[in-house]
Amino acid sequence: DSGVTQTPKHLITATGQRVTLRCSPRSGDLSVYWYQQSLDQGLQFLIQYYNGEERAKGNILERFSAQQFPDLHSELNLSSLELGDSALYFCASSVGQGREKLFFGSGTQLSVL
Amino acid sequence: EDQVTQSPEALRLQEGESSSLNCSYTVSGLRGLFWYRQDPGKGPEFLFTLYSAGEEKEKERLKATLTKKESFLHITAPKPEDSATYLCAVTTMIKAAGNKLTFGGGTRVLVKP
């Protein structure tokens, strides 16, 4: 158990809908990261937050947004969902924003039908 | 743009048959190279971090090495429980990149008894 909690584990929805994925980092970790994993694209970095502030952005679509709250948990919002958004979404956390290792949650499997 | 290429894509080994996985990288100032293990349906699990060329790290049957252009993960006398996808990732010195990891496509390892 990495200590990173993601909910829900599975999510099935329809095209055009909006969903929210939630992540609670390890106790004491200030950085939260979101990654998308699909069969053809591998693990792709979406966004990083550090202590409530956006720190780095990857290839995150404009239909996607995220935030980190004062209690350090984070939410990833996906809207106007398309079939191609079906993927495993991972949250990870780390103590700071140096070169320390990331701890990954077990992921949310999103299926868009 | 940072790039990580892993080879081979898949590896089938007999129990006890040692082998090596390759990770080639192109990055604007390497800050760290990471190896993760991922089991099906689970999040990546941290194995090693390497920071500079010549560095080596070991854990049980696994040994990671680093040069200026690539890293190797050596699996010595593997057991069936070593079956997993092994992921290589890099983080860069560029400040705007935060602490994001750029992942390779992974090597799927299957160890048969």
Side-chain angles (χ1 to χ4, degrees):
Chain A
D1 182 8
S2 67
V4 178
T5 304
Q6 288 189 249
T7 56
K9 290 194 182 308
H10 303 278
L11 202 48
I12 301 174
T13 188
T15 54
Q17 296 298 305
R18 172 189 167 96
V19 296
T20 298
L21 282 53
R22 185 187 166 98
C23 169
S24 294
R26 290 189 324 149
S27 177
D29 284 0
L30 297 178
S31 275
V32 169
Y33 311 77
W34 287 98
Y35 282 82
Q36 178 192 58
Q37 187 174 41
S38 58
L39 286 174
D40 56 343
Q41 293 287 325
L43 260 171
Q44 298 289 315
F45 170 73
L46 295 178
I47 199 163
Q48 176 196 354
Y49 280 84
Y50 174 75
N51 204 19
E53 300 287 329
E54 183 183 303
R55 183 65 184 89
K57 218 168 185 176
N59 295 326
I60 187 167
L61 299 172
E62 283 193 13
R63 301 183 286 109
F64 296 2
S65 65
Q67 53 183 326
Q68 185 180 27
F69 295 87
D71 67 352
L72 301 178
H73 91 272
S74 178
E75 292 181 356
L76 179 66
N77 299 296
L78 315 175
S79 61
S80 303
L81 285 167
E82 302 175 358
L83 295 177
D85 298 326
S86 296
L88 250 178
Y89 290 84
F90 287 108
C91 170
S93 72
S94 68
V95 173
Q97 48 181 345
R99 51 183 188 179
E100 68 270 11
K101 60 192 176 190
L102 272 58
F103 292 86
F104 283 80
S106 55
T108 293
Q109 178 68 61
L110 174 66
S111 299
V112 183
L113 306 178
Chain B
E1 187 176 319
D2 303 338
Q3 285 196 334
V4 180
T5 303
Q6 292 187 245
S7 62
E9 287 187 9
L11 197 55
R12 294 165 71 98
L13 301 171
Q14 286 297 130
E15 185 171 1
E17 179 189 359
S18 301
S19 189
S20 295
L21 283 55
N22 177 265
C23 169
S24 298
Y25 62 90
T26 305
V27 65
S28 304
L30 180 70
R31 194 158 69 154
L33 184 140
F34 298 77
W35 282 98
Y36 281 82
R37 169 195 170 121
Q38 186 176 24
D39 293 301
K42 296 191 176 180
E45 178 186 343
F46 172 79
L47 292 174
F48 303 109
T49 311
L50 301 166
Y51 295 112
S52 56
E55 193 174 355
E56 299 183 351
K57 289 200 176 163
E58 278 189 75
K59 179 182 176 180
E60 295 179 0
R61 296 176 293 282
L62 300 177
K63 179 179 176 180
T65 62
L66 180 65
T67 73
K68 288 186 177 178
K69 293 183 179 180
E70 58 192 351
S71 177
F72 292 92
L73 184 66
H74 308 278
I75 309 179
T76 302
K79 298 182 177 182
E81 53 262 42
D82 294 322
S83 298
T85 295
Y86 291 87
L87 298 165
C88 172
V90 297
T91 184
T92 176
M93 296 275 194
I94 296 176
K95 214 169 180 182
N99 192 33
K100 77 165 191 176
L101 293 178
T102 299
F103 281 87
T107 295
R108 293 189 313 279
V109 175
L110 176 63
V111 183
K112 292 190 153 189

